[in-house]
Amino acid sequence: MSKRLASKFKINRRLGVNLWGRAKSPVEKRKYGPGQHGQRQSKPTDYGTQLLAKQKIKAYYGNVSEKQLHKYYAEAIRRSGDTSENLIGLLESRLDAIVYRMKFVPTVFASRQFINHGHVTVNGKRVNIASYLVKVGDEIAVRESSRQLAVVTSAIESAERTVPDYYAMDEKGFSGKFVRVPKLSDVPYPTEMEPNLVVEYYSR
């Protein structure tokens, strides 16, 4: 289970953005950081701006570790094309991100826990590793024995989010196919993400 599960809304206040677009986020009422010095504002340095962009991306994907994000950066550089787009493509290929995007669960934190408990299959085989990288053409599904769980039914019926068009969902809603790796402009982030600044941070 993610260490951030109990304090996810505190991340919003610390970073000053509603990362997941949730209506209950306290940042909608208090757009400043927590603590007695939270309302102090100073002009960020270039390093500070890059660090904030990195923290936003790490938090958005359920507290991706520094080691994992640096690994994705190294792989993004190795691949041809734009490094920023490659980085987003790798993060969006994570199984926990896909389970969240397909609306099998309400949050990316719940997605990690849901996968760890063995409720998800990839191409018919159970996978319990949240960071598993899904390939284009793979089919992701909720195990049949888990489809009546309240967390699943409420997430699928929720109108809070829609499933992006880089997935092909079946009519029953309990499985879908990863059709293509999305570009940054395809990803429905509730707030602006700046992977180019993350690339600058690591390339210093």
Side-chain angles (χ1 to χ4, degrees), residues 125-197:
K125 296 182 179 180
R126 185 168 61 177
V127 177
N128 61 3
I129 301 172
S131 61
Y132 177 89
L133 291 181
V134 177
K135 298 180 178 62
V136 171
D138 284 352
E139 183 177 347
I140 299 88
V142 177
R143 295 182 68 197
E144 190 170 351
S145 59
S146 306
R147 293 178 181 181
Q148 300 307 312
L149 292 174
V151 66
V152 177
T153 55
S154 61
I156 288 177
E157 294 170 0
S158 172
E160 190 174 63
R161 295 181 290 122
T162 57
V163 179
D165 63 4
Y166 41 92
Y167 303 115
M169 304 298 293
D170 76 346
E171 294 181 358
K172 295 181 180 179
F174 294 107
S175 67
K177 185 171 290 186
F178 190 29
V179 177
R180 61 182 175 85
V181 177
K183 295 184 178 299
L184 175 61
S185 58
D186 298 325
V187 182
Y189 292 120
T191 187
E192 182 182 8
M193 290 295 179
E194 300 168 298
N196 58 305
L197 295 180

Side-chain angles (χ1 to χ4, degrees), residues 27-130:
V27 80
E28 297 301 325
K29 295 182 179 179
R30 292 171 289 177
K31 295 183 181 296
Y32 51 85
Q36 67 181 89
H37 304 300
Q39 297 188 54
R40 293 184 181 180
Q41 293 184 352
S42 58
K43 185 177 180 181
T45 62
D46 288 344
Y47 172 79
T49 302
Q50 294 164 0
L51 179 62
L52 179 63
K54 180 174 73 80
Q55 290 173 332
K56 282 168 60 178
I57 281 185
K58 285 177 63 177
Y60 180 84
Y61 287 98
N63 195 32
V64 173
S65 71
E66 182 66 27
K67 182 178 180 180
Q68 284 179 320
L69 188 60
H70 193 275
K71 182 181 72 173
Y72 295 144
Y73 163 73
E75 176 61 21
I77 286 180
R78 190 188 67 79
R79 297 185 178 187
S80 60
D82 183 270
T83 302
S84 299
E85 294 284 358
N86 291 343
L87 179 61
I88 292 300
L90 286 164
L91 288 167
E92 284 291 313
S93 298
R94 285 173 56 102
L95 184 57
D96 55 357
I98 291 175
V99 168
Y100 169 64
R101 292 276 185 236
M102 288 184 170
K103 292 183 63 178
F104 296 151
V105 290
T107 69
V108 70
F109 299 94
S111 178
R112 180 172 297 184
Q113 185 180 46
F114 193 67
I115 294 165
N116 289 343
H117 289 179
H119 298 299
V120 177
T121 64
V122 178
N123 297 327
K125 296 182 179 180
R126 185 168 61 177
V127 177
N128 61 3
I129 301 172

